Amino acid sequence: MRRRAGVLAVVAVLLAIGLVWAAHRGPVVVPVIPRAPGHCVLPIGQMRRTHMMLLRAVRQEIVRHDARDTRFRISGCVACHAQDTPSGRPIPVNAPGQFCAVCHAYVGVHIDCFACHAAVPPSRRLVARLAGQGVEQVEFRIPQALRAQFAGGAVSGGGQ
Amino acid sequence: MTDEDREIQGAGAAGGEAGAPDAVRRRLLAMAGAAAALVLAPGVTVLARDLAVKGARGGRVRYGLLIDARACRTGCDACVRACQDYNGLSRDPGPDNAQWIRKVTITDPGTGFTRSFPVMCQHCADGACVDVCPTGASFRRPDGIVLVDKHRCIGCRYCLMACPYKARSFVGRNVTDQRPWAPRGKGTAEGCTLCVERVTAGDLPACVAACQRAGHKAMTFGNLHDPKSAIAVRLSEVATTTLRADLGMRPGVHYRGI
């Protein structure tokens, strides 16, 4: 009996130390992921688990086999998920706290996608200039068009 | 999707098997022409077009250019500027900055005969860049477009040395403001892509469109293997040449009047 009380006392002390330490550290920080309107191309859980594999598989198909109709282009992620500053300028998705960076920073993953790939959608000015030259870059158009296309797609999923 | 299209079927990446799509694709490629689709997740399929599709008249597709040096204006660089603008290249090409197309002026010292014309990747059938590439990054698509797969490029620059047209460039500095359709970054070789995503969408390459807009119409783009295409008709009617034809690399870019 006495021995049991002793164990309980030790546990209580350890718990108290842990609680004090946790309170000192502040709450556990989980990434706050910026949300995009409309539906993603897949259910959110599936995207969170498999986006890296999708992008990896698709990049082969796009570069070497010209599968340019796929919805899993990295430019599609950027088109929907790049946030705007209050003044309307797009923020790169790999900037601190932004869609790609926030989780990768949390789990300590280093990606170099955006050393080459654009981290912001093309500016409206550029899209307008190219449209003036007769270039139909439908999939890179202003994100709203893309969002509507994705929202109306056959893929059902969560609303991020 | 027509029967000429090919689908690649693979196991679901969604199942959490990281290596599965590659392995399955390899197996399916060995099946040579079997219909398949790459299933990336339940209900999600990527269709890869077979680029070696037969053209309207049964010939295989090979994209190429015909450049009429007689119509090309000395001092006009509309094609060069259009390329830089569309693909997000610097307007100030240098040793560590890429240049995909350039204007070249040739003069015969004996007669004074001068011509000005653009030179870019000649999209050879047997390109030296593809031969020398140690990683398979430099490759020729079945439709004749020669590209760098930058996911595989290690930046060794063998292709820069091997290309007799000096068509490849090396990106030696950090790049910002890339176009979404033209990813490019430090440490890889690159060259003219024949504006592959425009061509896929049925558009003309940026340089050809710019030349037409400028009113010179010195550049013709099309399928060399379709006898009814404008470029094939022209090539069958007039005397043309390819640059350094003696090297036997069979370029897809033809010149008239040089």
Side-chain angles (χ1 to χ4, degrees):
Chain A
M1 197 63 188
R2 174 174 277 190
R3 187 172 166 184
R4 195 170 169 188
V7 169
L8 278 176
V10 170
V11 167
V13 168
L14 287 176
L15 195 63
I17 292 173
L19 284 173
V20 168
W21 183 70
H24 182 68
R25 293 258 309 191
V28 175
V29 179
V30 293
V32 179
I33 306 167
R35 294 191 162 252
H39 292 279
C40 194
V41 292
L42 278 183
I44 298 177
Q46 218 170 356
M47 281 311 276
R48 284 186 183 158
R49 285 193 304 276
T50 64
H51 68 278
M52 64 297 280
M53 289 171 265
L54 294 171
L55 287 170
R56 191 178 171 81
V58 160
R59 79 179 195 189
Q60 294 285 326
E61 297 304 315
I62 291 176
V63 175
R64 305 192 83 96
H65 302 283
D66 202 49
R68 286 175 192 275
D69 52 352
T70 175
R71 289 162 297 160
F72 302 108
R73 307 191 63 155
I74 196 169
S75 51
C77 306
V78 172
C80 273
H81 286 288
Q83 308 275 301
D84 284 345
T85 61
S87 59
R89 294 178 63 84
I91 311 169
V93 288
N94 60 338
Q98 294 303 305
F99 182 74
C100 293
V102 67
C103 285
H104 292 149
Y106 180 68
V107 297
V109 168
H110 173 77
I111 59 163
D112 59 0
C113 305
F114 299 105
C116 288
H117 287 275
V120 292
S123 70
R124 282 156 201 261
R125 208 174 58 180
L126 175 64
V127 171
R129 188 164 79 236
L130 292 174
Q133 297 171 7
V135 177
E136 297 291 325
Q137 288 289 350
V138 176
E139 59 194 307
F140 300 113
R141 275 183 192 284
I142 303 163
Q144 277 75 9
L146 207 62
R147 287 167 186 171
Q149 179 194 327
F150 286 170
V155 176
S156 59
Q160 177 168 321
Chain B
M1 183 176 148
T2 71
D3 58 353
E4 287 165 342
D5 290 348
R6 173 178 52 96
E7 293 175 64
I8 298 177
Q9 181 107 33
E17 301 154 31
D22 275 346
V24 175
R25 207 170 67 71
R26 245 175 259 130
R27 194 174 73 233
L28 282 155
L29 287 178
M31 285 159 60
L38 178 63
V39 180
L40 294 171
V44 179
T45 309
V46 173
L47 306 178
R49 295 195 317 158
D50 187 349
L51 298 173
V53 292
K54 291 202 158 60
R57 297 286 288 268
R60 292 161 73 88
V61 174
R62 184 180 181 198
Y63 291 122
L65 290 171
L66 171 58
I67 296 168
D68 189 344
R70 303 169 315 157
C72 185
R73 295 282 180 277
T74 305
C76 172
D77 61 351
C79 51
V80 178
R81 283 186 287 108
C83 177
Q84 291 167 344
D85 182 36
Y86 180 73
N87 293 300
L89 306 179
S90 166
R91 295 223 160 189
D92 177 31
D96 59 351
N97 215 349
Q99 166 182 262
W100 293 5
I101 179 174
R102 64 191 193 275
K103 279 297 289 285
V104 168
T105 302
I106 53 167
T107 304
D108 183 337
T111 62
F113 174 83
T114 296
R115 280 275 195 254
S116 173
F117 53 87
V119 175
M120 74 294 285
C121 172
Q122 305 287 300
H123 298 281
C124 305
D126 301 308
C129 57
V130 177
D131 271 356
V132 301
C133 181
T135 65
S138 197
F139 72 106
R140 179 175 183 267
R141 300 187 354 154
D143 62 0
I145 301 178
V146 176
L147 293 178
V148 180
D149 181 347
K150 293 177 186 178
H151 298 128
R152 299 190 190 186
C153 179
I154 56 171
C156 73
R157 289 167 257 197
Y158 278 176
C159 57
L160 274 73
M161 289 182 272
C163 178
Y165 310 108
K166 299 188 176 181
R168 283 279 166 87
S169 289
F170 182 74
V171 185
R173 58 172 85 157
N174 284 319
V175 183
T176 53
D177 289 335
Q178 293 94 335
R179 303 288 188 252
W181 46 86
R184 42 192 307 271
K186 184 177 177 180
T188 56
E190 59 184 29
C192 161
T193 63
L194 220 53
C195 288
V196 60
E197 70 297 322
R198 287 171 65 133
V199 169
T200 303
D203 274 336
L204 293 170
C207 54
V208 179
C211 190
Q212 290 189 356
R213 277 201 308 280
H216 300 147
K217 295 191 172 60
M219 303 175 85
T220 310
F221 169 84
N223 177 8
L224 299 170
H225 288 179
D226 176 4
K228 283 163 76 176
S229 70
I231 187 168
V233 169
R234 212 73 197 114
L235 284 171
S236 72
E237 288 173 351
V238 299
T240 60
T241 186
T242 53
L243 301 180
R244 289 304 304 272
D246 56 311
L247 294 174
M249 302 201 302
R250 297 190 289 143
V253 181
H254 297 255
Y255 289 86
R256 184 182 187 195
I258 58 173

